[in-house]
Amino acid sequence: MSYENIQVETQEAVGVITLDRPQVHNALSMALISEVGQAVKAFEEDEAIGCILIKGSEKVFAAGADISEMASKDYADLFKSDFPYLRGDGWEVMESRRKPMIAAVSGMALGGGCELAMACDFILASDTARFGQPEIKLATMPGAGGTQRLTRAIGKAKAMEMCLTGRMLDAEEAERAGLVSRILPVAELFAEAMKTAKAIAAQSRPVTLMIREAVDQAYETSLSAGLRFERRAFQSSFAFEDRREGMQAFVEKRKPDFNNR
């Protein structure tokens, strides 16, 4: 499949999506989001792929939504169509995917760019990364998870401040707040992100899917229900051939040879 707004490649068992609209700082048009969804869906269906990595350039991840596509819209337009930018195939594919997905963020991740990064399982950031939800400055608000995922990631007070003022977090504050998992020098970000993605892809595929589901349950359920889900999932892992191989390899002090079953 050919793409106009992103670049897609594979490196071993990792599917890589690179946002590629440099002339507008990778602004997220409806076409770009749709193409991201198509690429994610293709990687989901490819049994050779164990992890997905999404990134921009060293200078910018994504500076936000493509405002030129929204400026002339009114409420009726958005309500009747449910506005494909917010609920189209791109976002829905990312929300329903099962394979792990990492965001490698360097430079600005603002508005929709921040929301896209948060839609991934975790974020690796360069020391130049900046995160923000500046929609308030356009007299509108986040609409693709900015008030929801951000609040869950960093807490009500800081999320409320960011959404009401448009203040950005630099990489260090974002890490302290829990928005990003690690900060890396900009020159090392993409290589380390790829190394991390390959490490995930090398694990037992069904177990990585199971772990993703269990961690996500922590956002959706009570502690007691989450613990019960985790316990049942742990027990279920003993049905996998890979679990037997992993434990036997540990006992025998050798590298496991997983067959993803």
Side-chain angles (χ1 to χ4, degrees), residues 127-183:
D127 48 18
T128 65
R130 300 289 184 275
F131 299 87
Q133 299 289 161
E135 290 88 348
I136 185 69
K137 297 181 180 181
L138 302 179
T140 186
M141 62 177 287
T147 64
Q148 302 301 302
R149 290 192 177 94
L150 187 64
T151 303
R152 286 166 168 77
I154 68 176
K156 177 184 175 182
K158 197 172 286 289
M160 189 73 81
E161 180 195 12
M162 288 177 66
C163 291
L164 290 179
T165 68
R167 185 176 78 84
M168 292 188 289
L169 303 187
D170 62 21
E172 290 187 1
E173 185 175 4
E175 183 186 39
R176 290 197 304 271
L179 183 60
V180 307
S181 60
R182 277 191 289 157
I183 302 173

Side-chain angles (χ1 to χ4, degrees), residues 77-173:
D77 294 328
L78 270 60
F79 184 78
K80 286 189 295 183
S81 67
D82 209 13
F83 196 21
Y85 173 77
L86 301 180
R87 294 299 308 160
D89 54 358
W91 291 106
E92 290 180 352
V93 168
M94 285 184 281
E95 290 169 3
S96 63
R97 69 182 161 79
R98 301 185 70 200
K99 292 182 179 179
M101 185 161 154
I102 303 170
V105 175
S106 187
M108 295 180 294
L110 306 180
C114 186
E115 292 169 318
L116 177 58
M118 291 190 294
C120 298
D121 292 309
F122 62 92
I123 302 170
L124 298 176
S126 78
D127 48 18
T128 65
R130 300 289 184 275
F131 299 87
Q133 299 289 161
E135 290 88 348
I136 185 69
K137 297 181 180 181
L138 302 179
T140 186
M141 62 177 287
T147 64
Q148 302 301 302
R149 290 192 177 94
L150 187 64
T151 303
R152 286 166 168 77
I154 68 176
K156 177 184 175 182
K158 197 172 286 289
M160 189 73 81
E161 180 195 12
M162 288 177 66
C163 291
L164 290 179
T165 68
R167 185 176 78 84
M168 292 188 289
L169 303 187
D170 62 21
E172 290 187 1
E173 185 175 4

Side-chain angles (χ1 to χ4, degrees), residues 36-58:
V36 169
Q38 292 170 40
V40 170
K41 186 174 186 294
F43 286 142
E44 279 276 282
E45 295 172 351
D46 187 344
E47 293 186 2
I49 298 300
C51 188
I52 303 168
L53 174 64
I54 186 165
K55 62 186 183 71
S57 68
E58 286 190 356

